[in-house]
Amino acid sequence: MLTGKKIVLGITGSIAAYKAAYLCRALIKKGAEVQTVITPAGKEFITPVTLSALTHKPVVSDFFSANDGTWHSHVDLGLWADAMLIAPATASSIGKMVNGIADNMLITAYLSMKAPVFVAPAMDLDMYAHPSTQHNLDRLKSFGNHIIEPATGYLASSLEGKGRMEEPDAIVRALEDFFARNEQLSKKKIIITAGPTYEKIDPVRYISNYSSGKMGFALAEECALRGAEVILISGPVQLDVIHPNIRRINVESAEEMYRAALKYFPATDVGILCAAVADYRPLLYSENKLKRKNGESVVLELTPNPDIAAALGTIKKPGQRLIGFALETDNERMHAEEKLRKKNLDFIVLNSLNDTGAGFRGDTNKITILDTHGNVKEFPLRTKKEVAKDIIDETIN
Ligand code: C5P
C-alpha cells in the first residue's frame, strides 16, 4: 500500500503518456495522493483535464497560472512530496535532468525535489541504445535516482524490448517495495568498514592489498536504502557514495581506521567489518624516500596492526551486533569458525579465494554465513549488490 504517500507524478512527451492516466488511478487506489506536473510536450499526448479529473488536483504545467498569474512553487512541491515519479520519461527530459536544464516546470520541480526520485524511461530502442541516453541514465543513477525499467529476462544481454515504459502496475509495485524496504532498518545505526588500508613505508610507497571496497559500499547502500543511518569508514578506494544517509569517513591506515571505528561503534546497533585491514605495518616510517642499494637486499621490519574486529568484539554491549568477514585460501570453514569465536563476532561471512568470482575486486561474490550457534548457510554466486541483500537479510533483519 501507499497510504498517505504524497507523490509528484511528472509526465513528459512520449506516446506512453496515455499510461499516466492508469498510473494515476493505480497510485490513488493504493492510497497515495498524486500531484501531476506535465511538460509542454506531454500535453500533446494527454490532456490536463483527464489528469486533474483523476487526481482531483489542478495539473501543474506552467510557472504561472494562466487564470490569475499565481506563481506555482516548485520548491513547495519538492518539500511536499514523499516521492517523485517521472513516467514516462523521454530521452530529452532525462538529458535535461542530468544537465539541470530547467526550462519547464517539471525539470524545475525535479531540481528542487527533496524526496527520492523514480524515473521510468520511455522511448524507442534506437534512442534508448544511444550512448548519450545510456550515459545519462548512468548519471541519473549516480545522483541516487531510481530507474524503473521492464525486466527483460532472458533478453537481458541484448537491448531488445528495452526503452519501453514499464507497465503502470509494476511501477506502483516498485514504489511500494521501496517504501516497505525503507522502513526495515529505519531505527538502526550501522557502522561499516570497507576497502583496503595503506601502510606507509616512505613518502611514496606503501603496503596494501587488492580490496576494491565494492562489497562494503554495496552493504552501505543497501542498509541506507532500508532506512538505516550508516557510518562508512573507508580506506582508499575509487568509489562514490550515493545515498544521502551514508556518512563517509575516509581513512588511510589501519590505525586511523581503528581509531574511527572505536569512536563510532559505541553509539551504533550493528558493526559490519568488511575492510581488508593490513595485519602489519612497517615498524619505521622513513621521512625521506628510501634509496636503492645497488645489489643489496633490504629487510623491512613489520609490526602488528590493531585488530579492529577483535577490539570491537571486546567492547560490544548486549544488543549490539558484530559481523565480520573472512577471506580464506585454505581450511576455510575452520579458520572462519575460529575468527568468529576469537573476535567475539555474531556472524562471519566467509568467501574463499578458491571459488571463481568470489573475493576481491570483481563485481560478484560467493559467500557462506556462519553464526555462533553452528548454523552454516551457503549462498550461490551473485552480484555484490545481491550478496549485500543476502547478508543483511540473514544477519540484521
Ligand atoms: O583475522 P582476519 O584478518 O582474517 O579477520 C578478518 C576480519 O577481521 C574481517 O572482518 C576484517 O575486517 C577484520 N579485521 C579487522 N582488523 C584487523 C584485521 C582484520 O577488523 N586488523
Side-chain angles (χ1 to χ4, degrees):
M1 288 302 283
L2 294 168
T3 318
K5 293 282 185 256
K6 299 188 182 80
I7 296 179
V8 169
L9 173 61
I11 300 159
T12 72
S14 147
I15 184 71
Y18 77 92
K19 291 190 182 174
Y22 295 91
L23 200 47
C24 278
R25 213 176 50 186
L27 290 167
I28 289 167
K29 226 167 143 183
K30 293 282 183 184
E33 201 181 324
V34 179
Q35 171 64 62
T36 50
V37 183
I38 196 163
T39 61
K43 282 196 269 187
E44 306 290 331
F45 291 90
I46 185 164
T47 78
V49 179
T50 308
L51 297 168
S52 66
L54 285 166
T55 60
H56 306 291
K57 283 182 199 296
V59 177
V60 174
S61 61
D62 300 308
F63 292 105
F64 298 96
S65 154
N67 301 334
D68 56 8
T70 322
W71 186 50
H72 289 139
S73 171
H74 50 91
V75 177
D76 288 349
L77 274 182
L79 294 170
W80 174 81
D82 293 308
M84 182 177 194
L85 166 64
I86 301 169
T90 57
S92 165
S93 283
I94 289 170
K96 287 183 185 178
M97 288 161 72
V98 169
N99 292 292
I101 301 172
D103 64 350
N104 64 47
M105 192 60 189
L106 191 154
I107 307 295
T108 315
Y110 164 73
L111 291 177
S112 305
M113 190 49 57
K114 297 278 174 245
V117 178
F118 297 81
V119 180
M123 63 202 75
D124 67 47
L125 176 59
D126 290 330
M127 288 179 92
Y128 180 84
H130 195 282
S132 292
T133 309
Q134 288 302 309
H135 171 76
N136 284 338
L137 287 171
D138 285 344
R139 299 284 291 149
L140 278 190
K141 280 186 219 164
S142 75
F143 303 158
N145 297 315
H146 306 267
I147 312 296
I148 304 178
E149 297 181 286
T152 42
Y154 65 94
L155 292 174
S157 58
S158 79
L159 282 169
E160 203 178 322
K162 290 260 188 169
R164 181 174 61 78
M165 189 176 92
E166 179 60 293
E167 292 308 323
D169 286 339
I171 293 178
V172 173
R173 265 201 308 280
L175 288 185
E176 284 183 301
D177 288 350
F178 174 83
F179 284 115
R181 198 167 164 205
N182 198 247
E183 277 154 25
Q184 285 177 12
L185 299 178
S186 65
K187 293 201 171 53
K188 295 241 187 298
K189 270 190 158 195
I190 300 178
I191 183 181
I192 299 174
T193 66
T197 61
Y198 283 5
E199 309 300 326
K200 282 184 181 168
I201 299 169
D202 67 19
V204 296
R205 304 185 179 96
Y206 59 83
I207 299 175
S208 191
N209 56 64
Y210 289 123
S211 170
S212 64
K214 284 179 186 167
M215 193 64 246
F217 275 59
L219 281 160
E221 292 292 340
E222 186 61 26
C223 288
L225 275 175
R226 296 190 191 199
E229 219 179 291
V230 180
I231 295 173
L232 175 63
I233 304 174
S234 174
V237 295
Q238 303 293 323
L239 296 172
D240 290 320
V241 153
I242 297 171
H243 201 288
N245 284 0
I246 304 174
R247 176 168 167 210
R248 174 176 184 169
I249 293 164
N250 289 324
V251 295
E252 199 170 287
S253 65
E255 281 188 305
E256 285 169 20
M257 189 176 275
Y258 174 74
R259 281 199 293 275
L262 280 189
K263 177 173 169 192
Y264 292 106
F265 179 63
T268 59
D269 302 290
V270 182
I272 307 179
L273 306 164
C274 199
V277 186
D279 290 324
Y280 296 92
R281 67 176 180 277
L283 177 65
L284 298 173
Y285 168 73
S286 166
E287 296 286 346
N288 298 314
K289 185 182 168 197
L290 295 176
K291 303 281 179 296
R292 178 210 298 271
K293 292 180 191 163
N294 259 345
E296 280 180 47
S297 57
V298 288
V299 175
L300 193 62
E301 192 174 347
L302 301 177
T303 185
N305 269 328
D307 188 326
I308 303 167
L312 300 189
T314 314
I315 60 167
K316 186 172 73 174
K317 291 189 290 279
Q320 277 189 311
R321 197 168 283 193
L322 262 187
I323 300 144
F325 277 69
L327 178 69
E328 304 292 340
T329 54
D330 57 279
N331 288 321
E332 293 94 338
R333 200 64 73 78
M334 193 192 80
H335 288 304
E337 276 165 3
E338 196 179 303
K339 283 176 192 173
L340 181 71
R341 205 178 50 250
K342 270 197 180 153
K343 300 186 191 216
N344 194 25
L345 305 172
D346 300 285
F347 294 91
I348 195 151
V349 180
L350 166 66
N351 27 164
S352 164
L353 272 191
N354 296 326
D355 287 321
T356 24
F360 283 162
R361 288 199 284 193
D363 288 319
T364 57
N365 206 356
K366 187 175 182 312
I367 57 157
T368 305
I369 299 182
L370 291 78
D371 71 12
T372 48
H373 308 291
N375 297 314
V376 177
K377 194 160 173 182
E378 282 189 38
F379 293 83
L381 182 73
R382 309 186 70 184
T383 66
K384 285 187 175 168
K385 270 189 183 164
E386 291 165 333
V387 173
K389 290 182 190 171
D390 287 340
I391 292 172
I392 295 160
D393 284 343
E394 199 60 28
T395 63
I396 310 180
N397 274 346

